[in-house]
Amino acid sequence: MENSQLQDPNSGEVLNDVKTSYNYKKYLVYIKDALEELTKRERLLWFFIVFEFLVIVTMIGAGQPVSSPSASSLVNGLNATIPYSSGTEAIAISIFKNNYMLALIMAIPLAGPVMATYTSFNTGYMMSAQAVVYSQQYNIALTGINRFLGIMVTPVFWLEFVCYSAAVLESIYLLQSLFTRSFSKELIRAIIVIIGITVILFISAQVEAFLYI
């Protein structure tokens, strides 16, 4: 059914109110359908599967042994990327940029799951390196798994992994949509997911920066 247009009886100009209203309602329907799809049981199930997978991969990385020289090098390299002397906001922005870039890459079809697996393992490996360094500095018995469990109880861990899991899942659905000819609809869902990821990672970065200080 074509959009109807109205004309001003005096000037003869086309009135676009009807068309604009129709398009507005159409976009609202698209967003409503996208939100309903994002909350379907099957999709939520796959989200939890991806979430658990990334957590397990991180734990495996945390369980890897790291030599003392390598651990010191890794931790020093990480610390060098964090602007401690610049204040909370600078730290938060630095953390947000890094995590947001990772999340965007994880949302790319094919590349996303590979990147997420690699990043999760390296994150766990860094935890193991930190455990070695902290054990030497504070003369305590700390393992990578201990470090992993300690970080796991913080809100930052959950906020970030929720975002990464959502990004990976969206990359899988985007890839699937290329074969089912539903890419345009899935793209709307992807935009909604990315907006959510942006907000959550921003909040997470603020919390993490506060913990650093």
Side-chain angles (χ1 to χ4, degrees):
M1 181 178 179
E2 297 182 355
N3 297 331
S4 59
Q5 293 181 332
L6 299 179
Q7 285 186 330
D8 190 312
N10 297 320
S11 64
E13 294 181 354
V14 176
L15 301 178
N16 293 321
D17 290 347
V18 174
K19 183 177 180 180
T20 301
S21 177
Y22 173 79
N23 288 335
Y24 178 73
K25 291 179 179 178
K26 182 175 66 175
Y27 294 142
L28 286 179
V29 170
Y30 285 161
I31 294 174
K32 178 176 177 293
D33 290 343
L35 291 174
E36 288 179 350
E37 179 65 29
L38 288 172
T39 56
K40 281 188 175 179
R41 181 179 300 179
E42 178 186 356
R43 197 167 186 125
L44 291 175
L45 175 61
W46 280 109
F47 169 81
F48 286 117
I49 291 174
V50 172
F51 182 89
E52 290 177 7
F53 172 77
L54 295 183
V55 171
I56 291 172
V57 171
T58 304
M59 185 170 63
I60 292 173
Q64 302 304 306
V66 185
S67 65
S68 181
S70 296
S72 298
S73 177
L74 288 171
V75 173
N76 289 336
L78 175 63
N79 291 337
T81 64
I82 303 172
Y84 290 105
S85 61
S86 300
T88 306
E89 280 306 313
I91 295 175
I93 291 173
S94 175
I95 293 172
F96 173 75
K97 285 182 178 180
N98 178 71
N99 294 344
Y100 190 57
M101 183 60 65
L102 289 175
L104 290 180
I105 295 174
M106 291 179 190
I108 300 174
L110 288 180
V114 176
M115 183 63 178
T117 303
Y118 174 79
T119 301
S120 297
F121 182 86
N122 277 356
T123 299
Y125 194 74
M126 179 61 73
M127 292 177 188
S128 182
Q130 289 174 330
V132 172
V133 172
Y134 296 160
S135 294
Q136 294 174 345
Q137 288 180 345
Y138 302 107
N139 194 27
I140 58 176
L142 184 67
T143 67
I145 298 298
N146 295 147
R147 177 68 176 161
F148 168 79
L149 294 175
I151 294 177
M152 191 176 181
V153 300
T154 65
V156 171
F157 178 92
W158 293 93
L159 291 174
E160 290 183 1
F161 272 76
V162 162
C163 290
Y164 297 152
S165 300
V168 172
L169 183 62
E170 195 53 48
S171 74
I172 295 172
Y173 274 98
L174 280 172
L175 180 62
Q176 182 188 46
S177 69
L178 294 174
F179 298 97
T180 58
R181 298 181 180 180
S182 58
F183 182 78
S184 59
K185 292 183 178 180
E186 192 59 46
L187 186 60
I188 295 175
R189 300 182 191 112
I191 292 172
I192 294 174
V193 169
I194 290 173
I195 291 174
I197 286 173
T198 304
V199 174
I200 295 174
L201 284 181
F202 181 79
I203 295 173
S204 174
Q206 297 294 328
V207 175
E208 189 170 357
F210 175 77
L211 294 176
Y212 271 119
I213 293 297

